[in-house]
Amino acid sequence: MLVYAVFGDPVEHSLSPAMQNAAFSAMGLSARYLAFRVRRKRLRDAILGAEAMGFGGLNLTIPLKEEALTVALPDENAAAMGAVNTVAFRDGEGEGGRIFGYNTDGLGALRALEGSGVRVSGRRVLVIGAGGAAKAIARQLALSGAKLSIANRDPQRALDLAAAVGGRGYGLSDLTRLVPEAEVVVNATSVGMRAGDPRLVDGRLFREGQTVFDIVYNRETELLQDAANAGARVLDGVMMLVWQGSLSIEIWTGRKAPVDVMEQAVREELRNR
Ligand code: NAP
């Protein structure tokens, strides 16, 4: 049996074990996916240990994605994002020649949008946020031809990200103008993860004909409720989680993973919490 794992700190609330184990069993693979709390300063030891013990592969979550670049050889995409969320072990020379890093967050977000019938090429897309997830998403959407605006609480981070991927950067005070203009709005901040979080966007700014995608997946956010009330098409963060996980499985096994089974496993796990 092959062992796979997610490393993070904290990691006990991760939905990945339920999701990835459901995928492995539907695929008929003899594999088990576990979660391990790994401190940032022990990440190198943990990855080398997993490789030495013949693990099938790893996912990495907060706060380990950036540190992983010091251990794994990143592909062009992960190097450009400055973050690794998927580690694969392959034949190669020496320690550094066997451990490879990938980032499936951006493509996961794109697949989630496409899967619900949203094309981004040539569309005005507003990304709110400039943290790790926003970077991955903004890069992928820009590569896919979106006309990108990025707004962030710290405007300088939005300007820097926009300059790096191609687009325009703003502060949150510009949302009053940017939200109604956008055809697709993506919340890539952590606002909405907790009940009682203040609203990022005045709900009256959303409109029919717009798609609003909130990458938060642990609860139905006020942002999505407001957008749905305004007649916009809404998409929560579950399918991004599912797609980034299925892309990891594809990297490890070369096989497509069953996204419908994975979605069911995540939604069931969320209902039971
Ligand atoms: P991060 O790197 O810490 O970035 C956090 C972002 O949120 C920054 O842009 C930050 O703005 C902004 N922010 C935080 N508190 C805020 C507030 N009170 N008001 C306005 N903006 C605020 O985190 P991350 O890794 O990008 O994750 C962000 C969210 O995405 C989390 O909820 C995470 O669970 C979710 N996520 C979902 C998926 C998925 O598959 N669905 C994948 C990855 C992440 P500043 O720059 O101004 O601090």
Side-chain angles (χ1 to χ4, degrees):
M1 169 171 315
L2 265 182
V3 176
Y4 293 83
V6 57
F7 291 170
D9 184 18
V11 78
E12 60 269 25
H13 296 301
S14 173
L15 296 163
S16 294
M19 174 174 82
Q20 303 293 56
N21 281 319
F24 287 149
S25 87
M27 293 167 80
L29 294 175
S30 175
R32 179 60 64 88
Y33 188 102
L34 304 167
F36 292 95
R37 182 179 184 201
V38 173
R39 302 293 171 120
R40 196 181 350 213
K41 61 178 187 293
R42 303 302 305 275
L43 181 64
R44 181 178 190 84
D45 296 338
I47 292 179
L48 293 180
E51 193 266 337
M53 288 189 287
F55 277 36
L58 302 171
N59 285 128
L60 303 176
T61 186
I62 286 173
L64 307 173
K65 293 183 188 184
E66 290 81 13
E67 182 71 19
L69 288 166
T70 64
V71 191
L73 186 67
D75 72 350
E76 189 193 341
N77 179 45
M81 288 174 189
V84 165
N85 79 339
T86 303
V87 173
F89 304 118
R90 303 195 196 288
D91 291 336
E93 287 301 309
E95 179 187 288
R98 292 183 50 82
I99 302 173
F100 296 89
Y102 305 86
N103 193 313
T104 63
D105 281 338
L107 198 52
L110 180 70
R111 292 275 168 85
L113 283 165
E114 288 174 345
S116 69
V118 182
R119 281 192 304 112
V120 298
S121 178
R123 297 281 170 85
R124 289 187 302 276
V125 179
L126 168 64
V127 173
I128 310 174
K135 276 186 192 155
I137 294 169
R139 177 178 145 83
Q140 184 62 54
L141 297 185
L143 283 174
S144 304
K147 293 187 221 154
L148 210 58
S149 301
I150 301 166
N152 193 49
R153 178 174 61 179
D154 173 351
Q156 191 57 49
R157 293 187 82 194
L159 288 166
D160 292 346
L161 179 54
V165 302
R168 288 167 180 265
Y170 301 91
L172 295 183
S173 60
D174 294 299
L175 289 178
T176 318
R177 181 174 57 80
L178 295 171
V179 170
E181 280 175 9
E183 292 164 277
V184 180
V185 178
V186 183
N187 174 38
T189 74
S190 46
V191 177
M193 278 180 82
R194 284 160 297 266
D197 277 356
R199 276 174 163 75
L200 261 183
V201 175
D202 178 345
R204 291 168 300 187
L205 296 171
F206 296 118
R207 58 173 175 82
E208 275 180 42
Q210 203 170 39
T211 298
V212 180
F213 173 27
D214 195 335
I215 74 163
V216 169
Y217 53 75
N218 63 312
R219 58 185 289 276
E220 192 195 1
T221 63
E222 290 72 19
L223 183 109
L224 284 195
Q225 287 167 12
D226 289 347
N229 288 340
R233 184 205 308 228
V234 295
L235 179 63
D236 68 24
V238 168
M239 285 315 288
M240 174 178 165
L241 180 75
V242 165
W243 274 111
Q244 61 80 30
S246 83
L247 290 163
S248 297
I249 291 180
E250 213 173 312
I251 288 169
W252 298 326
T253 68
R255 290 177 54 187
K256 300 246 181 271
V259 288
D260 48 344
V261 170
M262 296 165 76
E263 178 185 8
Q264 253 177 36
V266 170
R267 295 206 187 273
E268 191 179 323
E269 186 75 16
L270 285 170
R271 269 196 303 275
N272 293 337
R273 287 191 173 179

